[in-house]
Amino acid sequence: MYSSFFFICTTVPFNHHCLYYNHMIDLHTHSYYSDGTLSPTELVFLAESLKMKALAITDHDTTMGLNEAISAAKNKNVNFIPGIELSVIHKPGELHILGLGLKNWEDAPILRKINNNRKSRNKQIIEIMNLNGLGIKYTDLEKLTKGTIGRPHFAEWMLRNGYVNNMNQAFREYLSRGKSFYIPREMVSLEEATDFIHNCRGFALIAHPLNIAVNFNTLLEKIDNWLDIGIDGFEGMYSGAKKNMTKRLLDYGRTKECLITGGSDFHGKNKPQIKPGRTKKMGIISDDFLPDELMHQL
Ligand code: AMP
Ligand code: FE
Ligand code: FE
Ligand code: ZN
């Protein structure tokens, strides 16, 4: 039933009011300034071709792609929301924070600090790989991205040089925690990341919360606490999440005064299973997950 309405309604022109069809959005994507494969301009054009109402670019640890995307979005029928994704200290595993609706992001010492940490970690990974006879140089990695270099670029290098059959295998066998080429990197704290995002006059949100390796009740307690210390909300609709868990998370979110966003975590060809503006299990990401607070700023 729903899918036939969807079909009918996608044929109406953009901005035309349609009772049954919410517009697609994507508030979590990566460009080639981190570990995506498309330029910011290409991402904006892709969003427009999909008739997206809003697109955010949220590259890891960098704002380098944002001005290009803003220019590309001028005269386009898509609202561009400047963003970033930061990894912060958390046990167990990693916690990712999205900054959305950034307004001033130039000259950020925290990003310089993060990228210095990355640089020394990248050099250590190169050393281990070379000790194992792989023959990799820093300049090889610089050719794979215009911005943040991270483990995905080591994975891509291994793929291009025939050491693995796909990026996932590179992570699984060599680059994940506990594997031979894994080096941890120094991360910033949740508070530092949140302060930075608020200083940029953006909103700070927990990215893909169900990926955090704790049980559901512990997760809700953690989110409660993060909201208390200044986090503005969480990503409620995203690519990898399961339907029943998403429902429980959204039910919880509705009891809180917080922002709930949606994004695919699109990385272009680096994660070909992820499609822009869509989840794997729940179809398109609709503008129900585009908070008014973000739209009002545009
Ligand atoms: P880093 O920040 O350098 O430690 O790299 C972590 C990033 O690698 C994550 O944010 C993901 O975007 C990416 N990543 C993690 N696991 C995989 C995987 N199995 N395949 C491709 N990319 C991955
Ligand atoms: Fe990534
Ligand atoms: Fe992430
Ligand atoms: Zn991401």
Side-chain angles (χ1 to χ4, degrees):
M1 193 64 179
Y2 177 78
S3 62
S4 62
F5 278 130
F6 173 78
F7 239 81
I8 294 161
C9 296
T10 49
T11 60
V12 302
F14 184 63
N15 279 344
H16 189 284
H17 180 72
C18 174
L19 198 55
Y20 302 107
Y21 175 60
N22 289 324
H23 291 294
M24 178 191 272
I25 61 156
D26 199 331
L27 302 186
H28 187 161
T29 70
H30 295 271
S31 79
Y32 65 18
Y33 283 97
S34 62
D35 55 344
T37 55
L38 298 185
S39 70
T41 303
E42 287 168 329
L43 280 172
V44 169
F45 287 7
L46 177 63
E48 198 195 35
S49 73
L50 293 169
K51 299 188 166 44
M52 273 189 207
K53 180 169 169 182
L55 167 79
I57 293 179
T58 53
D59 277 317
H60 298 285
D61 306 331
T62 185
T63 53
M64 282 170 77
L66 300 181
N67 286 328
E68 179 188 323
I70 288 169
S71 303
K74 282 200 180 115
N75 310 316
K76 294 270 170 225
N77 226 343
V78 49
N79 295 296
F80 179 71
I81 296 174
I84 194 164
E85 181 173 19
L86 301 173
S87 314
V88 302
I89 301 162
H90 182 258
K91 282 203 168 81
E94 267 186 30
L95 177 62
H96 291 184
I97 305 295
L98 291 175
L100 289 178
L102 308 183
K103 273 163 262 4
N104 56 314
W105 53 77
E106 305 305 334
D107 188 39
I110 189 180
L111 298 186
R112 274 202 298 279
K113 175 174 150 184
I114 291 170
N115 282 296
N116 285 338
N117 291 344
R118 277 192 176 279
K119 207 168 261 172
S120 57
R121 183 238 215 162
N122 290 340
K123 285 182 182 157
Q124 291 177 61
I125 300 179
I126 287 176
E127 229 173 271
I128 299 191
M129 285 172 88
N130 286 337
L131 281 174
N132 282 275
L134 276 73
I136 178 173
K137 299 190 296 295
Y138 213 98
T139 47
D140 296 343
L141 297 163
E142 283 169 337
K143 288 180 192 144
L144 299 178
T145 171
K146 285 176 165 284
T148 307
I149 299 172
R151 280 183 293 161
H153 306 97
F154 285 94
E156 193 180 340
W157 185 91
M158 291 183 80
L159 174 63
R160 288 184 184 216
N161 288 278
Y163 291 104
V164 290
N165 298 319
N166 53 59
M167 305 244 313
N168 208 17
Q169 187 192 355
F171 272 90
R172 214 177 45 240
E173 296 181 9
Y174 299 100
L175 292 161
S176 305
R177 196 183 301 263
K179 301 297 170 181
S180 46
F181 300 159
Y182 177 76
I183 300 281
R185 69 185 169 93
E186 255 178 70
M187 291 189 202
V188 295
S189 70
L190 177 83
E191 289 81 358
E192 279 177 280
T194 308
D195 284 351
F196 162 65
I197 291 164
H198 287 162
N199 282 335
C200 297
R201 299 184 8 248
F203 295 98
L205 302 121
I206 305 295
H208 36 67
L210 295 168
N211 293 5
I212 302 167
V214 294
N215 73 45
F216 190 72
N217 288 333
T218 309
L219 175 65
L220 298 193
E221 279 168 25
K222 278 177 175 282
I223 298 178
D224 264 346
N225 178 42
W226 291 327
L227 292 173
D228 283 345
I229 62 174
I231 286 283
D232 301 297
F234 61 86
E235 190 172 51
M237 182 60 73
Y238 60 93
S239 195
K242 293 198 176 92
K243 201 170 179 173
N244 61 336
M245 295 310 288
T246 297
K247 188 179 175 311
R248 289 176 67 188
L249 185 64
L250 294 177
D251 286 344
Y252 157 83
R254 288 189 194 104
T255 69
K256 301 277 154 187
E257 272 188 31
C258 71
L259 306 193
I260 302 181
T261 62
S264 68
D265 210 356
F266 180 65
H267 282 69
K269 289 197 185 113
N270 281 344
K271 294 191 181 178
Q273 71 285 8
I274 297 179
K275 307 296 176 205
R278 303 190 77 87
T279 60
K280 281 184 206 146
K281 311 250 160 62
M282 292 162 284
I284 73 157
I285 301 167
S286 82
D287 56 5
D288 288 343
F289 298 95
L290 173 63
D292 289 342
E293 287 86 341
L294 283 171
M295 279 307 278
H296 288 156
Q297 301 184 322
L298 293 167

